[in-house]
Amino acid sequence: MKRSEYLKSFRLRIFLVIVIAVLFSATVMRGAAGANVKERMIEQRIMEMTEQIRITASRMKNYDYFHNTSSEAINAQLSLLSTVYEGRILVIDQGFRVITDTYDISLGKYMIGEEVIRCYSGESVTNYDQGSRYIEVAVPVTEKDVETGETVVAGVILASATTDAIFRTTDDISRRGWILEIMLVVVMIGLAMGVAVLMARPFERVTKAMGSVVSFEEDLPVVSDYKETQEIVDAFHKLRQRLKTLDESRQEFVSNVSHELKTPIASIKVLADSLNMQEDAPLEMYKDFMQDISAEVDRENEIITDLLELVRMDKGASGMHVENVKVNDLLAQITKRLGPLARKSEVDLILESRREVNADMDEVKMTQAITNIIENGIKYNKHPGWVRITLDADHQFMKLTISDSGTGIPEAELSHIFERFYRGDKSHSKEISGTGLGLAITRKTILLHRGSIDVSSTLGEGTTFTVKLPLSYIKEAG
Ligand code: ADP
């Protein structure tokens, strides 16, 4: 399979869609969860630390720590907090001097940081430095002034702790998450492959079943799981029905052709054989039989010519030589040519042109199509009788009506007269020569010109054919 074809595979696409969906949601979920956990842990740590230091601050007040920094209870608590939070705790007095340092480094030194100054105005300060991963919490220690009774800030507890532990924890969680995720992705890929194969299976079944059908009678042995595959199967059955109809009409046509071609030959054979069998056939008999043989040869010729014409037209509009034709002149020519035949049959040909009409058409083909209709009007007529040809047009179509005073066509036959080889009531058809192909050729020609032909008839009174053709030729699409 070529690469582009492989990419068109339904199975591959389903697989890719599932995999992309899984990877996308996994990534989004991991990103969201990872970021949230870390932030929440740090927030919580800050809250905890502030809370603990506030408790310590309030105890300091009770123990009067700033006048007695050797308080065991407070110092033990401070060093405990320092250990628990992996950080350093400083206690700073009003003079910005460090009076306690859990690391014992800055004892006695001065510490005038921004947080400390802000703390002296009474507020707690918390700070998180993302770059160096440090949390800072500064809480004021208040006490009542003995003289004024006002609450004053006696000092500040300043705690700074690293967030390394939090990062270690979240990194660990994320590492485990990764492993879990990779395992999940592998499982999902396997599952996606399975689902894709399963989902594509009904289509494969339909394709396989279609490939194995060899005759028009066979039904697709497929139980369709999807609405879509059922639609494919239905469309296949419809197509098969159309092909079956087409095949039947082709077979009928072939058998009709063979039959029609054989009939004159069988007559010729009979005529020739009966002449051969006669020992001393008189010359008149020879002449008489030979005339019959010649008529049968003409008939055979006529059928073959019509057949060839039909076959040529089956190829479509490609063989059309369209040009702008003055239809009034064309009709005048046709009626002139059919004049002798009409006179012989005592049929009056009346041509009535309501206006001058110019239309695009294949002149040769259209002449034959119109001739066929008028000729039928003369052939299937009373004697005397008439055929009236009327030409009219609007801005888009030309309209040609050919009416006759003839025998008419029975209702049951009307729908068949345009079929190949169809000839009306056999008894009268035998007297009147014809191949049964004339109207089939006419209809085909008119359809190639994108026109229409209609017929109405009253038995014993006559028949009217109405032909409508667009004035401008519309080329076949594509
Ligand atoms: P053909 O004339 O060679 O038999 P057509 O295809 O021209 O074949 O016509 C088919 C049949 O339609 C004719 O056999 C005839 O029965 C009937 N038909 C056609 N035109 C007329 C008409 N104007 N009046 C009566 N019957 C007609």
Side-chain angles (χ1 to χ4, degrees):
M1 213 185 327
K2 269 192 262 162
R3 210 172 62 178
S4 60
E5 267 174 47
Y6 193 69
L7 283 177
K8 279 186 193 161
S9 150
F10 174 72
R11 218 178 319 162
L12 179 76
R13 286 186 186 189
I14 294 269
F15 170 74
L16 287 180
V17 166
I18 299 177
V19 168
I20 289 170
V22 167
L23 286 183
F24 179 75
S25 42
T27 316
V28 169
M29 265 164 59
R30 192 169 50 81
N36 272 347
V37 165
K38 200 175 288 177
E39 274 164 26
R40 248 182 298 128
M41 282 176 83
I42 290 172
E43 249 169 54
Q44 203 154 359
R45 174 64 55 95
I46 292 175
M47 265 161 55
E48 257 176 51
M49 273 173 71
T50 315
E51 190 52 35
Q52 289 300 325
I53 291 171
R54 272 211 189 108
I55 294 171
T56 316
S58 98
R59 289 186 72 194
M60 271 183 187
K61 198 161 59 177
N62 298 341
Y63 279 87
D64 194 18
Y65 187 73
F66 289 93
H67 301 113
N68 176 21
T69 53
S70 59
S71 162
E72 278 294 323
I74 301 291
N75 285 339
Q77 190 165 1
L78 288 176
S79 68
L80 180 72
L81 287 180
S82 162
T83 320
V84 168
Y85 293 121
E86 289 182 82
R88 180 181 180 189
I89 299 177
L90 305 176
V91 182
I92 300 157
D93 69 6
Q94 270 173 327
F96 297 105
R97 209 159 50 88
V98 177
I99 54 170
T100 310
D101 178 357
T102 52
Y103 283 11
D104 285 332
I105 302 167
S106 310
L107 215 57
K109 289 186 184 159
Y110 289 93
M111 180 73 72
I112 317 176
E114 191 200 329
E115 308 81 23
V116 181
I117 295 171
R118 271 172 59 198
C119 252
Y120 274 108
S121 64
E123 57 176 318
S124 300
V125 180
T126 57
N127 228 338
Y128 171 52
D129 185 340
Q130 212 166 357
S132 48
R133 297 183 178 179
Y134 250 84
I135 297 173
E136 258 185 337
V137 177
V139 175
V141 185
T142 53
E143 59 181 27
K144 260 200 179 112
D145 193 286
V146 200
E147 286 159 25
T148 60
E150 273 178 38
T151 312
V152 291
V153 179
V156 171
I157 305 177
L158 180 66
S160 50
T162 168
T163 52
D164 280 350
I166 294 175
F167 275 80
R168 269 200 307 277
T169 315
T170 52
D171 286 352
D172 191 42
I173 291 174
S174 139
R175 201 170 38 251
R176 277 188 219 178
W178 263 110
I179 295 170
L180 205 74
E181 209 171 288
I182 288 169
M183 273 160 58
L184 210 77
V185 165
V186 170
V187 171
M188 283 316 290
I189 286 178
L191 263 172
M193 269 156 95
V195 169
V197 168
L198 270 180
M199 285 183 84
R201 197 155 284 166
F203 290 101
E204 279 167 11
R205 270 208 294 273
V206 170
T207 316
K208 208 169 144 201
M210 279 182 186
S212 64
V213 168
V214 285
S215 80
F216 284 125
E217 273 63 44
E218 233 177 286
D219 260 340
L220 279 191
V222 182
V223 184
S224 277
D225 319 50
Y226 298 146
K227 188 170 150 282
E228 285 79 2
T229 45
Q230 187 55 50
E231 279 167 2
I232 295 176
V233 171
D234 291 347
F236 175 82
H237 282 149
K238 271 190 201 137
L239 174 70
R240 197 194 47 179
Q241 193 50 45
R242 280 209 298 277
L243 288 176
K244 193 177 168 192
T245 315
L246 212 71
D247 188 61
E248 277 165 5
S249 82
R250 190 182 57 84
Q251 276 180 15
E252 196 187 307
F253 178 65
V254 169
S255 84
N256 279 345
V257 167
S258 332
H259 174 75
E260 292 299 322
L261 288 177
K262 266 172 126 176
T263 317
I265 288 174
S267 304
I268 293 169
K269 171 91 174 136
V270 170
L271 288 165
D273 279 355
S274 51
L275 270 185
N276 275 340
M277 268 165 18
Q278 299 244 347
E279 290 275 304
D280 310 300
L283 191 63
E284 281 84 65
M285 198 181 176
Y286 261 101
K287 279 201 165 159
D288 199 24
F289 275 39
M290 275 308 183
Q291 259 171 12
D292 286 350
I293 288 175
S294 171
E296 292 298 336
V297 170
D298 283 347
R299 187 173 156 66
E300 183 87 24
N301 210 6
E302 208 183 324
I303 297 172
I304 292 172
T305 313
D306 279 357
L307 267 176
L308 286 178
E309 184 62 32
L310 257 182
V311 171
R312 253 206 308 275
M313 274 194 294
D314 271 346
K315 285 181 189 150
S318 54
M320 298 259 283
H321 301 289
V322 180
E323 53 196 337
N324 198 264
V325 174
K326 192 171 172 195
V327 187
N328 310 64
D329 291 352
L330 184 88
L331 290 178
Q333 235 177 56
I334 295 174
T335 42
K336 192 175 165 211
R337 214 177 309 136
L338 288 175
L341 179 72
R343 273 193 295 280
K344 209 172 109 191
S345 314
E346 292 174 78
V347 171
D348 239 0
L349 277 188
I350 309 150
L351 174 59
E352 195 183 318
S353 291
R354 300 234 166 111
R355 65 186 75 228
E356 196 173 287
V357 180
N358 289 291
D360 293 344
M361 57 177 68
D362 183 318
E363 194 172 346
V364 177
K365 286 196 171 65
M366 198 47 83
T367 302
Q368 190 183 0
I370 298 169
T371 305
N372 284 347
I373 307 176
I374 302 175
E375 228 179 335
N376 281 348
I378 300 170
K379 281 198 302 189
Y380 304 105
N381 214 321
K382 293 169 191 150
H383 313 286
W386 50 261
V387 174
R388 173 178 279 114
I389 305 138
T390 316
L391 174 66
D392 202 353
D394 56 21
H395 63 288
Q396 239 184 328
F397 293 97
M398 69 163 240
K399 191 174 158 195
L400 186 67
T401 36
I402 298 160
S403 317
D404 63 55
S405 59
T407 50
I409 305 167
E411 181 85 32
E413 290 186 10
L414 265 184
S415 56
H416 298 293
I417 59 170
F418 295 106
E419 288 169 12
R420 295 163 174 194
F421 291 117
Y422 182 81
R423 302 209 67 205
D425 183 9
K426 293 287 173 218
S427 56
H428 88 230
S429 292
K430 259 197 183 151
E431 297 159 23
I432 303 165
S433 75
T435 60
L437 292 170
L439 285 182
I441 293 174
T442 299
R443 182 171 169 274
K444 188 97 200 172
T445 304
I446 289 166
L447 291 186
L448 281 180
H449 283 79
R450 315 243 154 201
S452 65
I453 178 163
D454 288 309
V455 60
S456 64
S457 186
T458 312
L459 212 54
E461 279 183 30
T463 308
T464 301
F465 284 90
T466 310
V467 175
K468 262 178 95 177
L469 284 183
L471 294 178
S472 318
Y473 180 66
I474 309 154
K475 267 211 166 133
E476 225 172 354

